[in-house]
Amino acid sequence: MITIANERVAMKHGAGGRAMRRLIEQVFLRGAPPESAAMDDGAVLPLAGGGALIVTTDAHVIQPIVFPGGDIGRLAISGTVNDLAMMGATEPLGLACSVVIEEGFAIDDLERLQRSMREACAEAGTSVVTGDTKVMRRGELDGVVITTTGVAITWRPVRDSGAVPGDVLIVTGTIGDHGMAVMAARNQFQFGETLRSDVAPLNGLVRAALAAGDVHAMKDPTRGGVASALHEIAGKSRVGIVVREDAIPVRTGVRAAADLLGIDPLFIANEGKAVLVVRPSSADAIVAALRAHPYGRDAAIVGECFAESPGTVAVDTGFGRRRLSEPDGELLPRIC
Amino acid sequence: MITIANERVAMKHGAGGRAMRRLIEQVFLRGAPPESAAMDDGAVLPLAGGGALIVTTDAHVIQPIVFPGGDIGRLAISGTVNDLAMMGATEPLGLACSVVIEEGFAIDDLERLQRSMREACAEAGTSVVTGDTKVMRRGELDGVVITTTGVAITWRPVRDSGAVPGDVLIVTGTIGDHGMAVMAARNQFQFGETLRSDVAPLNGLVRAALAAGDVHAMKDPTRGGVASALHEIAGKSRVGIVVREDAIPVRTGVRAAADLLGIDPLFIANEGKAVLVVRPSSADAIVAALRAHPYGRDAAIVGECFAESPGTVAVDTGFGRRRLSEPDGELLPRIC
């Protein structure tokens, strides 16, 4: 089959949407164990003594490496802490961190990244317990790639497949902040207020939510934004999801930038937000618990899960419903 | 301090020797927890129920990605399985695998790498349980970087600091095969027999050794070769190490190439060998167990640990002793 034989990796294959999912299914999951086929935020490995070990990994390639609100160091820690938290594991045992550096990278800059990794670790109550350092020649790598893997034990893993009809959808705050801040930094445009990334470790926030009620599914809406997260949950849980457009919190500056660029904030990456699917009777208590936390002040109920149209996501605009497509390709490369 | 302010990352900082160790100490270990300061093959995280979780991570940047005897896929699995095994953890719970790909990389090639990852996993009795895929633009990354993290539980971690005076040194086979094969492939030279990398998962071999006797310390001599591994053990265990030059197994082709290039095989990277430090009364049984395994046929006793000159490594040439220096910089970039 010549078309497949000549196929090449494109930017969309790293964009967190349908193209990436297909590449992973086509190449990486062939012959893979059921656990990795679940394609959750992390793997769940049952332990002999009870409970499960959660393992999650992420390579961080963001560009620029320093942006309003954070840098690749804070991102590398937060991204992995958050993937653990999304599985219900809010107490990381530790992180492993692999750094690939371009020859000529300033050691000062490396120290700065290291400092912000340390600060993010302190905030998340964890640390980097092991690492690896590789150097590639000048021109072989643009800057630095940081891959962070996290491990944690939990007794009740929260899976993408756990949503059931009737469940309530919550987002923990304003959406689109990270992606829009990086886009603005890269293109040096301004929209009144400075756009800042929301990058933050969310395990404390998630701990508060789990203590307040029943969480059936969770996802951090990174690449592909809230749209991608909702599609994953709808697909794996076999529910239909409807979100109310006017209920979704979006900052004025992000809204303005998104309108100008013609991008739906639902497709923009976040690094300090979570989408929670919760039991209806828990929803109010969970929103209250989230709002009491500095990272959850703008938490809001934004939608619901239905038995109808399983696997689909719709947006209620107030005038009717429109299908929300699954992001396919590249909105912005190297966003995380 | 202007000199430090202007310092930049050089190839030697990724070469597995003294320069890398100093960079790690200077930048990454500042304020780090004691566990990561041990700088072992992996971290040891004690579990509440007893035993310890071993976590290890490695970024693989080898070039060319396919070489005689293996490819970056087999390397990415073997390297991490071996780091776990060197800690005494021969039954991986699973691996996490992060792939960063250059735009335009052929999907065929990706499938080939994936196939050899799967084969190496099958051989090691493990699997990739979770992963991540990122794409960088053409020219931002030369090919592909694969970062593999492994987790395993062990009740008796083997640490670099476990060697004591009187202990016997074993290498599990011929040294220098991997580095010399990659060097030959890159420069397209030949030395009679084809030089082939020894890249292989060693957990089965190590399991046999652990069952046969008391192993006090273990190290896989990758970047920096056997010389670097011996220095790590001598330094962390505070013993003096003496190896007998004529006892060290080296293939004829590797010896010829090394002689021609003026490189000591002790400094060349291996990806399917281990250095074991064992209780003297166990040595013969362990060598016998190693030789009964396909990856240990050329296992040999090569030296001893002493109380004298702790932290140093010497080579007994048969005519006297010479100090073996700790490799500092770059012998060959992107060797693993």
Side-chain angles (χ1 to χ4, degrees), chain A residues 5 7-9 27-28 30 36 58-59 98 104-105 107 114 118 129 132-134 140 142 149 223 334, chain B residues 7-9 27-28 30 36 58-59 98 104-105 107 114 118 129 132-134 140 142 149 223 334:
Chain A
E7 223 182 317
R8 293 189 173 270
V9 172
V27 178
F28 296 118
R30 218 187 271 170
S36 69
D58 258 317
S98 224
F105 195 89
I107 291 190
Q114 180 55 22
R118 219 152 42 224
V129 293
D132 182 43
T133 309
K134 294 275 155 55
E140 288 179 346
D142 180 30
T149 307
R223 283 178 291 177
R334 298 181 66 184
Chain B
E7 223 182 316
R8 291 189 174 271
V9 172
V27 178
F28 296 117
R30 220 188 268 170
S36 70
D58 259 317
S98 224
F105 195 88
I107 290 188
Q114 181 55 22
R118 221 153 38 223
V129 292
D132 182 43
T133 309
K134 293 274 156 57
E140 288 180 345
D142 180 30
T149 306
R223 283 177 292 177
R334 300 182 64 183

Side-chain angles (χ1 to χ4, degrees), chain B residues 91-155:
Chain B
E91 317 276 353
L93 288 172
L95 307 176
C97 183
S98 224
V99 185
V100 185
I101 316 165
E102 183 184 19
E103 178 188 14
F105 195 88
I107 290 188
D108 266 2
D109 290 343
L110 212 54
E111 281 177 338
R112 179 189 173 150
L113 300 182
Q114 181 55 22
R115 217 158 31 235
S116 74
M117 290 178 77
R118 221 153 38 223
E119 285 164 13
C121 277
E123 196 184 329
T126 189
S127 57
V128 174
V129 292
T130 189
D132 182 43
T133 309
K134 293 274 156 57
V135 179
M136 290 173 81
R137 275 171 293 219
R138 211 181 286 265
E140 288 180 345
L141 173 70
D142 180 30
V144 65
V145 171
I146 304 181
T147 302
T148 321
T149 306
V151 289
I153 289 172
T154 183
W155 292 82

Side-chain angles (χ1 to χ4, degrees), chain A residues 258-271:
Chain A
D259 282 352
L260 194 80
L261 299 169
I263 303 169
D264 187 336
L266 287 167
F267 289 84
I268 304 177
N270 309 271
E271 290 293 345

Side-chain angles (χ1 to χ4, degrees), chain A residues 117-135:
Chain A
M117 291 176 77
R118 219 152 42 224
E119 285 164 12
C121 278
E123 197 184 330
T126 188
S127 57
V128 174
V129 293
T130 189
D132 182 43
T133 309
K134 294 275 155 55
V135 179

Side-chain angles (χ1 to χ4, degrees), chain A residues 64 66-71 174-199 250-261 263 265 268-269 273 332 335:
Chain A
V66 180
F67 46 83
D71 58 31
T174 55
I175 69 165
D177 297 5
H178 175 75
M180 211 44 104
V182 173
M183 217 179 295
R186 227 184 266 173
N187 299 292
Q188 300 178 300
F189 58 62
Q190 292 240 320
F191 286 91
E193 61 172 331
T194 303
L195 303 174
R196 286 175 65 84
S197 167
D198 57 351
V199 57
V250 183
R251 274 183 212 290
T252 319
V254 169
R255 171 79 70 199
D259 282 352
L260 194 80
L261 299 169
I263 303 169
I268 304 177
K273 298 292 151 43
L332 193 63
I335 194 69

